Amino acid sequence: MLDIRKIYVPTPYQVGPVNCYLIMNRPFTLVDPGPESAEGREGLLAGLSDAGVRPDEIERVIITHWHADHCGLASWLSEQWGVQVYVHRLEKPKLTPGYDKHAERLPFLLEAGVPSSDLEEMLNDRDPLPNPLLPLTRVNLLEGGETLAFTGGALQVMHMPGHSTGHICLYDAESKIFLAGDFILAHITPNPFIAARPEDPNQRVQTLAQYLTGLNIMKDMDISLILTGHGENISDCPAVIAKVLDHRYKRMDVFSGILEGAVLSTYQVMRIMYPGIRGFDILLGISEVLAYMDYLEARGKVSHEVQDGVSLYRLSSSK
Ligand SMILES: [Zn+2]
Ligand SMILES: [Zn+2]
């Protein structure tokens, strides 16, 4: 049986602390060690000390996804104590020097019709954390489907994209515990962030389709407890998964309703849904609406035409 402990590591983000998980079976392992900041290091070291574990006893770090609040400390742990880092191969390019997340997203934001004043606002709303990087050595790339062995247990690696392209979740088949990262959270709907397709950066990843596929996989699994990347554990798993799926499908009706008798850009739809949002939240809003437009379009429910570089959407039946 795996002995999994939770360590709250502070982040400067609105979401609050990130949940790092310490697995007390050999090799001692951390899942999502937290952000690269003085507070992050302190929080992690305090949590390890409470558990009676020295940092040099940690042998392995598993990263659920590339976001700075989850994985920033992986490099530090590896450089200080020779820890092996495990991450999905699709996250590696984003954890490499020179990766520019703004450049990846910009063509999609322009196509969404985001005005330059809002683009500027998003860029000026600077990330308080540095871009996380992988260490130069001791990186182990995952595909999904692997089993990571421990003394007295194992974790199965599941590739669960949607929130990020190379997001992984971990499943302990013995205790039926599911480590979810940001794939599912108790009180927040994780954002389907805009992402370019790894094989064709001019195209977007179909994030919502990926997300729904993953939720349906979870629905059919035997899960006793979900350990999330932020906030509380989820114990009533079938109910929460059903609620999230229901929320996603209802959202589709909301977006279809907004397009009733109208021809609108993604930005215009976003402003109808979220008139007041500013700064970085504009990116979250656009990501969400775009994910729905792509999903509805792939299923023939909406279509778009491009005018002056901006995609304008309409309901297919109102053509
Ligand atoms: Zn995240
Ligand atoms: Zn997160």
Side-chain angles (χ1 to χ4, degrees):
M1 187 72 91
L2 293 182
D3 177 3
I4 306 176
R5 317 272 179 97
K6 189 189 287 197
I7 299 174
Y8 297 100
V9 182
T11 85
Y13 294 159
Q14 221 174 12
V15 69
V18 72
N19 297 333
C20 163
Y21 293 97
L22 165 65
I23 301 166
M24 298 279 286
N25 301 60
R26 300 278 177 182
F28 284 170
T29 297
L30 290 171
V31 178
D32 287 351
E36 175 53 77
S37 63
E39 296 80 9
R41 289 181 193 193
E42 264 169 45
L44 178 66
L45 292 177
L48 289 176
S49 156
D50 287 348
V53 173
R54 295 191 314 274
D56 65 356
E57 290 181 285
I58 302 293
E59 291 182 58
R60 185 160 64 179
V61 164
I62 307 171
I63 294 171
T64 60
H65 66 298
W66 71 280
H67 291 161
D69 49 340
H70 292 256
C71 71
L73 285 175
S75 240
W76 176 65
L77 288 162
S78 185
E79 277 149 22
Q80 295 286 319
W81 294 290
V83 173
Q84 294 285 332
V85 177
Y86 289 72
V87 64
H88 194 278
R89 69 175 170 85
L90 293 176
E91 300 299 78
K92 188 184 172 202
K94 307 193 173 195
L95 295 164
T96 300
Y99 171 64
D100 184 343
K101 56 190 174 195
H102 299 301
E104 178 180 333
R105 294 163 181 163
L106 186 62
F108 303 128
L109 296 172
L110 293 173
E111 190 200 321
V114 180
S116 52
S117 54
D118 280 40
L119 281 175
E120 214 170 298
E121 221 181 272
M122 278 162 49
L123 277 175
N124 289 338
D125 193 356
R126 293 194 66 83
D127 195 330
L129 292 172
N131 256 12
L133 296 172
L134 286 173
L136 296 174
T137 56
R138 297 184 283 271
V139 174
N140 305 268
L141 297 182
L142 298 165
E143 193 67 43
E146 295 87 352
T147 298
L148 300 174
F150 293 82
T151 319
L155 285 174
Q156 292 169 11
V157 178
M158 297 174 65
H159 181 209
M160 296 284 269
H163 177 67
S164 107
T165 314
H167 192 293
I168 59 164
C169 297
L170 300 161
Y171 181 60
D172 176 358
E174 193 186 348
S175 64
K176 320 282 186 221
I177 287 175
F178 185 93
L179 286 100
D182 278 354
F183 188 80
I184 189 166
L185 300 171
H187 300 295
I188 309 166
T189 311
N191 194 269
F193 271 100
I194 303 175
R197 282 192 201 170
E199 66 284 7
D200 179 2
N202 295 317
Q203 300 288 319
R204 282 187 295 278
V205 172
Q206 293 276 324
T207 50
L208 184 61
Q210 290 184 330
Y211 201 66
L212 292 171
T213 301
L215 286 166
N216 280 304
I217 290 170
M218 284 184 79
K219 205 173 75 176
D220 294 334
M221 288 173 67
D222 186 3
I223 297 171
S224 63
L225 184 69
I226 301 176
L227 302 178
T228 57
H230 304 275
E232 298 153 27
N233 303 340
I234 297 172
S235 47
D236 190 356
C237 304
V240 171
I241 293 164
K243 203 175 97 185
V244 175
L245 279 167
D246 184 55
H247 167 84
R248 294 287 187 189
Y249 287 115
K250 279 200 180 121
R251 261 293 136 95
M252 274 177 224
D253 296 340
V254 172
F255 288 121
S256 300
I258 290 173
L259 287 177
E260 196 74 57
V263 181
L264 299 170
S265 71
T266 303
Y267 178 77
Q268 288 169 320
V269 175
M270 191 278 286
R271 279 296 175 208
I272 291 170
M273 281 293 285
Y274 310 110
I277 60 173
R278 308 253 50 112
F280 179 74
D281 289 344
I282 297 168
L283 176 70
L284 300 179
I286 291 289
S287 285
E288 183 184 329
V289 178
L290 213 42
Y292 281 92
M293 292 302 136
D294 285 344
Y295 186 85
L296 292 169
E297 184 156 42
R299 277 142 196 88
K301 301 277 173 53
V302 306
S303 61
H304 83 272
E305 60 190 277
V306 180
Q307 256 180 39
D308 299 328
V310 175
S311 291
L312 299 176
Y313 292 86
R314 69 173 78 222
L315 290 181
S316 294
S317 52
S318 67
K319 258 183 187 170

